[in-house]
């Protein structure tokens, strides 16, 4: 979500101009719904207190991923509200690079059964670490579930801007950090940092292999009036997704301290509006790509691996949007829930995404870090085909959880962890884990699927 909307009081005229433009488009009614202009914060009532858990020590964890083989959740946390207010390019907070250089964000693992978080010690890594989106994939050279690679956005300040704030040019030089973690261990070893000029405003990541990934650039403009225009006006399709290959663990040792060495990048898809969250789809060749402020999740197909490409990779890969699912709020950081208890005719797999009840309030929330940031968490099950009639249904969307900010403040990511029906008298339930970029903690809520 961070990177979605940033509007100061002095820029009211920009909002007026955008709204005026929208009046002449079909998007105006939808934009007012998605941003929550007329919506009030609401609460999902919990009749059983044990169906709601607060997870301590998970401050401002913007993204979360469920690793099914280990039954662990992985997240990257800022850990300090002061840092996020002083330096966070995802919200256009760029005034204090010194705070960014001191940032000590963390990678944490959460046991899905005990609901306890554990911070990993980052070896061969000295920071700074300004966290945002992450991804986790299995180490292909190990038995499944034994070890993982963790990819994490790190919004480090530009060295030139850190030395002299009057320096022209980008204020942030955001990079991607790659770590290796043995499941059950207490550490994550830093493999290397990855940067390319095409990585400008990174938000979220989908890893393809230990040495390749897709990353979203959520805005073309890093700050200022045009950044606000491209967020609020869905016709401003100026963001993109970049595909990156890089020299890795063994062949990349020489590049550990040289983040651009051995890196190749290309634009995988462009012409997108506010491309924030990025998630794995139901198959390895599919991705879920969010246009956050438009309230849309695109289902994309990844092109087959090409020839050549260097770095031991398979060459540039692209994304083609196959279909789009619309929601009634902003959405971010999508995840795909695989139903482990699926039966013929009853597969509850689907996409999950979190957003804000009133995204229109985010400018104030992001400016001072206070106030209510209500949340909405959605699930969408894929269309079904009636084989007898040959008809295809629509995506079935439902609201899984709402909160008025009293239990969790802002939501930018959510994942489902299925519960054995035998433990719930045959009912299909799951734990829904929700976290936010301005939240004090992650929460877990038991929901009916």
């Amino acid at each position: 979500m961070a990177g979605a909307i940033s509007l100061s009081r002095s820029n009211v005229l920009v909002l007026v101009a955008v709204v005026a433009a929208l009046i002449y488009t079909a998007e105006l009614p939808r934009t007012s719904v998605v941003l929550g202009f007329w919506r009030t914060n609401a609460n999902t009532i919990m009749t059983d207190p044990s169906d709601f858990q607060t997870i301590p020590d998970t401050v401002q964890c913007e993204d979360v991923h469920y690793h099914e083989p280990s039954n662990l959740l992985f997240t990257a946390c800022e850990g300090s509200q002061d840092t996020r207010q002083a330096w966070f390019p995802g919200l256009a907070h760029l005034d204090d690079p010194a705070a960014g250089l001191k940032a000590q964000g963390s990678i944490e693992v959460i046991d899905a059964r005990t609901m306890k978080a554990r911070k990993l010690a980052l070896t061969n890594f000295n920071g700074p670490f300004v966290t945002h989106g992450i991804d986790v994939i299995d180490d292909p050279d190990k038995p499944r579930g034994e070890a993982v690679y963790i990819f994490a956005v790190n919004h480090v300040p530009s060295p030139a801007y850190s030395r002299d704030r009057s320096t022209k040019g980008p204020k942030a030089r955001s990079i991607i950090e790659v770590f290796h973690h043995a499941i059950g261990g207490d550490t994550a070893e830093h493999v290397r940092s990855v940067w390319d000029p095409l990585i400008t405003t990174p938000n979220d990541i989908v890893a393809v292999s230990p040495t390749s990934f897709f990353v979203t650039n959520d805005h073309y403009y890093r700050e200022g009036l045009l950044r606000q225009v491209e967020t609020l006006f869905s016709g401003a399709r100026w963001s993109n997704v970049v595909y990156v290959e890089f020299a890795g663990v063994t062949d990349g040792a020489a590049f550990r301290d040289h983040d651009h060495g051995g890196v190749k990048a290309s634009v995988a898809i462009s012409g997108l509006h506010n491309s924030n969250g990025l998630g794995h789809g139901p198959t390895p060749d599919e991705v879920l790509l969010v246009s956050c402020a438009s309230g849309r999740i695109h289902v994309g197909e990844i092109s087959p691996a090409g020839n050549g490409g260097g770095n031991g990779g398979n060459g540039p890969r692209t994304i083609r949007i196959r279909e789009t699912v619309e929601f009634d709020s902003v959405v971010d950081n999508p995840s795909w829930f695989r139903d482990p208890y699926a039966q013929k005719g009853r597969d509850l797999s689907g996409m999950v995404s979190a957003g804000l009840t009133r995204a229109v309030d985010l400018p104030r929330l992001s400016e001072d870090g206070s106030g209510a940031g209500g949340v909405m968490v959605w699930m969408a099950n894929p269309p079904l085909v009636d084989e007898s009639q040959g008809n295809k249904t629509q995506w079935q969307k439902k609201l899984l959880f709402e909160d008025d900010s009293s239990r969790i403040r802002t939501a930018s990511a959510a994942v489902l962890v299925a519960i054995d029906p035998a433990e719930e008298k045959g009912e299909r339930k799951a734990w829904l884990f929700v976290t936010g970029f301005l939240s004090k903690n992650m929460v877990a809520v038991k929901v009916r699927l």
Side-chain angles (χ1 to χ4, degrees):
M1 179 71 62
I5 301 173
S6 181
L7 182 65
S8 67
R9 298 184 187 90
S10 63
N11 294 323
V12 174
L13 288 177
V14 175
L15 177 58
V16 172
V18 170
V19 171
L22 286 171
I23 289 175
Y24 298 99
T25 74
E27 282 290 290
L28 179 58
R30 172 163 175 76
T31 298
S32 66
V33 171
V34 169
L35 298 184
F37 276 91
W38 321 118
R39 190 160 46 219
T40 58
N41 291 320
N43 265 330
T44 296
I45 298 174
M46 310 299 299
T47 56
D48 185 345
S50 66
D51 287 350
F52 182 87
Q53 303 286 330
T54 297
I55 301 174
D57 303 319
T58 52
V59 179
Q60 295 178 343
C61 309
E62 198 267 353
D63 195 7
V64 62
H65 287 265
Y66 176 56
H67 183 244
E68 188 176 351
S70 64
N71 200 35
L72 295 174
L73 290 85
F74 288 78
T75 185
C77 307
E78 191 61 55
S80 167
Q81 179 173 308
D82 291 341
T83 300
R84 184 131 294 182
Q85 294 304 125
W87 178 265
F88 186 58
L91 288 172
H93 294 171
L94 298 162
D95 294 332
D96 192 352
L101 292 174
K102 296 175 183 176
Q104 293 295 315
S106 63
I107 293 175
E108 301 189 21
V109 293
I110 299 163
D111 189 306
R113 280 202 169 270
T114 66
M115 308 288 181
K116 292 183 178 179
R118 178 166 53 91
K119 185 182 297 186
L120 298 179
L122 306 181
T123 61
N124 298 320
F125 183 77
N126 297 318
F129 194 16
V130 181
T131 63
H132 204 161
I134 66 167
D135 194 19
V136 179
I137 60 169
D138 279 290
D139 181 344
D141 295 327
K142 302 283 186 181
R144 188 168 180 261
E146 188 173 294
V148 295
Y149 283 95
I150 305 168
F151 292 69
V153 172
N154 185 7
H155 289 298
V156 294
S158 161
Y161 180 59
S162 299
R163 291 190 297 267
D164 182 359
R165 296 192 193 182
S166 66
T167 300
K168 301 295 183 182
K171 297 178 180 180
R173 188 180 182 275
S174 303
I175 57 181
I176 310 302
E177 309 291 2
V178 185
F179 300 89
H180 187 265
H181 169 66
I183 299 296
D186 296 323
T187 64
E189 180 184 7
H190 187 239
V191 175
R192 65 163 295 179
S193 301
V194 178
W195 178 83
D196 185 88
L198 289 179
I199 302 173
T200 55
T201 56
N203 189 303
D204 202 9
I205 306 168
V206 156
V208 178
S209 74
T211 56
S212 60
F213 60 88
F214 291 99
V215 57
T216 57
N217 286 313
D218 58 36
H219 287 79
Y220 178 81
Y221 292 95
R222 299 170 188 258
E223 58 182 324
L225 302 183
L226 288 176
R227 177 186 174 94
Q228 296 157 23
V229 169
E230 69 170 308
T231 297
L232 293 166
F233 181 39
S234 60
R237 299 175 181 178
W238 306 335
S239 60
N240 62 19
V241 179
V242 173
Y243 176 69
V244 181
E245 292 182 346
F246 61 96
V249 180
T250 56
D251 55 345
F255 301 127
R256 185 180 295 276
D257 299 316
H258 180 28
D259 55 31
H260 189 39
V263 176
K264 285 191 174 183
S266 58
V267 175
I269 185 172
S270 59
L272 300 169
H273 178 237
N274 196 208
S275 56
N276 278 37
L278 191 64
H280 293 272
T283 71
D285 295 327
E286 293 176 295
V287 292
L288 306 177
L289 172 58
V290 160
S291 285
C292 177
S294 294
R296 295 182 170 101
I297 298 181
H298 310 290
V299 181
E301 296 178 346
I302 302 174
S303 67
N307 296 318
N311 297 341
N314 294 307
R317 305 186 76 171
T318 59
I319 296 172
R320 182 183 71 85
I321 293 176
R322 188 181 73 228
E323 59 183 317
T324 298
V325 185
E326 296 186 341
F327 296 85
D328 289 341
S329 74
V330 296
V331 286
D332 202 9
N333 294 334
S335 62
W336 183 263
F337 168 67
R338 186 194 70 82
D339 182 2
Y341 302 105
Q343 298 177 352
K344 186 176 181 180
R346 186 163 170 77
D347 185 344
L348 300 179
S349 301
M351 64 173 71
V352 180
S353 190
L356 303 179
T357 307
R358 290 179 49 82
V360 65
D361 294 336
L362 184 54
R364 174 176 50 80
L365 297 177
S366 65
E367 280 183 2
D368 58 19
S370 63
V375 310
M376 304 177 79
V377 183
W378 301 89
M379 184 175 188
N381 301 104
L384 300 175
V385 176
D386 185 338
E387 295 180 359
S388 63
Q389 300 293 326
N391 296 326
K392 187 177 180 180
T393 63
Q394 300 295 315
W395 283 83
Q396 300 300 306
K397 293 171 283 187
K398 61 181 176 182
L399 190 60
L400 286 176
F401 177 70
E402 288 184 278
D403 192 71
D404 64 359
S405 197
S406 59
R407 294 173 291 193
I408 181 169
R409 184 169 178 273
T410 73
S412 50
V415 297
L416 283 171
V417 178
I419 301 173
D420 188 337
E423 299 178 13
E424 297 293 337
K425 299 179 180 180
E427 289 191 73
R428 295 306 319 278
K429 296 183 179 181
W431 282 105
L432 173 69
F433 292 83
V434 187
T435 189
F437 56 96
L438 293 177
S439 60
K440 295 181 179 179
N441 49 257
M442 188 182 299
V443 299
V445 189
K446 188 179 289 188
V447 297
R448 286 182 171 83
L449 296 176

